[in-house]
Amino acid sequence: MNMKAETSREHVVFVDYIRVIACFLVMLVHASENFYGTENAVGLASNMSQLLNESNRFWVAFYDGFCGRISVPLFMIVSAFLLVPMKSGVSMGQFYKSRFLRILPPMACFFLLYSLLPLAWGGMTWEQSLADLKLLPFNFPSMAGHLWFMYPLISLYLIIPVVSPWLERASAKDELIFLGLFGVSTFIPWIHRFIAPELWGECFWNGFTMLWYCSGYLGYLVMAHYIRYHLDWSRRRKLIVGSICWFIGAAFTGWAFWYKGVPGGPIDTPTLEWAWEFCMPNVLIASFGAFLLFSCIRRKTTPKFISGLSKLTFGMYLMHMFFLSPIARLFIGGSVAEPLVPVWLAIPCIAALSYICCAVTTKLLSFIPGSKWVIGC
């Protein structure tokens, strides 16, 4: 079996639009995080947060919660939508070779860059750099918190050959049963927080709940397959249901942050982000709705600009924190309470300028022979 046969798939136009917009939403999320870190801190949110005024409270809730939380699930759904079920005749080894040769070399490259490059401008100490390098076989570097996403993506690739045979045989009803169990599992974080710290068999000697194997990003994988092969809705119905689901899920997600984000003293970040995990019911509903809306795009071909940008998004995602942090400092100035640019404008401007810088840099790197091992394209 030629590996090219595994990667040759029918081109889906609306997926290009999802990649382009979801990549921007990732940067919008990280631009927002500058405004609820501890005072004068610029970068990703840490374990403790602080909202300094009502303006920051509202606009972070809007941009990060209402707009941005669907970014990661959309990428997960897209990956599954294109890859599941596997092509007939493709072995597990062939699938792994194809997928991991595309993502692991760039991932390793940027792990090293985030562990070493900040030394050049005093962004980290040698002690921190060495600690990050020692950690690399086990987790992402401290300066690259956004690369947590690579591990769930790898887990999806690992499980695709296992679930593909079932998905090929499963009926729509079978998949709906699984999706129902997945839906229930999205309430587990809330049950943990508000009802019981240990649930359905959890204890100090067992961390796997009763719904462990029906939870997590596998649910998005099955949902993607169900949408593609079983959801035979008209465009009008997709627009209506998609709009309602997206708005309800996004509105709750934004409100959840605003509700907890009372300005003043420090707040435990998990408490502030109590409804922001990507496998929670509100994010699931919003992501499902958004994907339906994108699927209503009926163009037969992708505009050249969009298709070209879509191919760059993996590299843009990998490098964007190198640009976003210094750009954020330009807009924020001395304090996130009184940034040089009003917060309602600063957040999208930071995201947009970072996006442009990443797109240009990734495009230039793509002209270098062997660049696919660094930026994945």
Side-chain angles (χ1 to χ4, degrees):
M1 175 72 187
N2 192 313
M3 193 166 67
K4 290 183 179 180
E6 187 276 324
T7 58
S8 61
R9 291 268 175 175
E10 174 191 354
H11 186 73
V12 182
V13 171
F14 73 82
V15 163
D16 290 327
Y17 287 90
I18 292 179
R19 286 189 178 126
V20 168
I21 294 176
C23 185
F24 174 76
L25 293 179
V26 168
M27 298 185 199
L28 191 70
V29 165
H30 293 152
S32 302
E33 289 188 15
N34 290 282
F35 293 90
Y36 68 96
T38 53
E39 187 171 9
N40 298 327
V42 178
L44 296 177
S46 60
N47 293 334
M48 295 301 296
S49 298
Q50 185 174 18
L51 287 152
L52 300 179
N53 52 51
E54 288 291 344
S55 179
N56 287 15
R57 178 189 188 185
F58 177 82
W59 289 111
V60 170
F62 176 74
Y63 286 121
D64 198 337
F66 183 85
C67 299
R69 284 291 123 182
I70 60 174
S71 54
V72 166
L74 283 178
F75 276 123
M76 293 297 189
I77 297 169
V78 162
S79 293
F81 190 84
L82 297 176
L83 295 174
V84 179
M86 290 166 48
K87 284 283 189 178
S88 176
V90 177
S91 69
M92 179 181 284
Q94 289 167 333
F95 179 83
Y96 287 166
K97 183 178 180 180
S98 170
R99 291 292 97 199
F100 293 137
L101 280 178
R102 182 177 183 272
I103 67 168
L104 291 185
M107 174 181 166
C109 177
F110 275 89
F111 272 13
L112 291 173
L113 287 174
Y114 281 107
S115 299
L116 296 170
L117 198 55
L119 290 168
W121 55 81
M124 67 190 312
T125 64
W126 277 104
E127 290 77 13
Q128 184 180 354
S129 175
L130 290 173
D132 283 352
L133 290 171
K134 291 177 182 178
L135 187 66
L136 287 189
F138 309 104
N139 216 336
F140 53 83
S142 59
M143 300 288 284
H146 65 294
L147 295 182
W148 70 269
F149 169 79
M150 296 304 299
Y151 295 98
L153 181 64
I154 289 170
S155 74
L156 277 190
Y157 288 168
L158 288 173
I159 203 66
I160 282 175
V162 178
V163 300
S164 275
W166 172 70
L167 288 171
E168 285 183 297
R169 297 192 305 270
S171 66
K173 184 178 180 179
D174 292 338
E175 292 186 35
L176 279 176
I177 292 172
F178 180 90
L179 289 173
L181 295 171
F182 167 57
V184 173
S185 79
T186 62
F187 288 89
I188 290 176
W190 290 347
I191 298 174
H192 278 157
R193 177 173 294 277
F194 301 116
I195 301 176
E198 295 178 332
L199 178 69
W200 298 331
E202 284 181 302
C203 46
F204 75 85
W205 64 86
N206 174 52
F208 303 95
T209 74
M210 176 181 67
L211 291 181
W212 181 270
Y213 299 106
C214 301
S215 63
Y217 297 102
L218 175 60
Y220 283 112
L221 184 154
V222 176
M223 187 175 79
H225 184 271
Y226 182 85
I227 292 172
R228 182 162 195 176
Y229 292 97
H230 300 299
L231 197 68
D232 187 21
W233 287 357
S234 68
R235 186 170 183 266
R236 182 175 180 273
R237 188 176 181 184
K238 286 182 179 179
L239 283 170
I240 294 173
V241 175
S243 297
I244 293 172
C245 289
W246 168 76
F247 183 81
I248 291 175
F252 182 90
T253 308
W255 169 83
F257 181 94
W258 180 89
Y259 174 70
K260 286 290 187 180
V262 178
I267 307 171
D268 178 55
T269 300
T271 298
L272 184 61
E273 299 182 352
W274 67 279
W276 277 18
E277 290 183 31
F278 299 110
C279 292
M280 281 184 166
N282 50 301
V283 180
L284 169 62
I285 291 168
S287 302
F288 171 72
F291 191 82
L292 286 186
L293 292 176
F294 277 110
S295 71
C296 292
I297 297 173
R298 294 290 177 86
R299 297 183 66 106
K300 293 184 178 180
T301 59
T302 309
K304 188 174 181 181
F305 174 75
I306 297 296
S307 63
L309 200 53
S310 174
K311 294 174 183 177
L312 302 176
T313 52
F314 183 49
M316 292 167 62
Y317 157 76
L318 291 171
M319 72 175 64
H320 77 271
M321 286 308 301
F322 283 130
F323 290 101
L324 191 143
S325 294
I327 289 172
R329 292 188 182 93
L330 294 177
F331 283 86
I332 292 171
S335 172
V336 296
E338 297 181 359
L340 299 178
V341 177
V343 64
W344 66 267
L345 182 60
I347 291 175
C349 284
I350 293 167
L353 190 54
S354 301
Y355 193 87
I356 292 168
C357 291
C358 291
V360 172
T361 303
T362 307
K363 184 64 177 178
L364 291 174
L365 289 173
S366 71
F367 293 118
I368 300 174
S371 63
K372 68 177 182 178
W373 304 113
V374 179
I375 56 175
C377 64

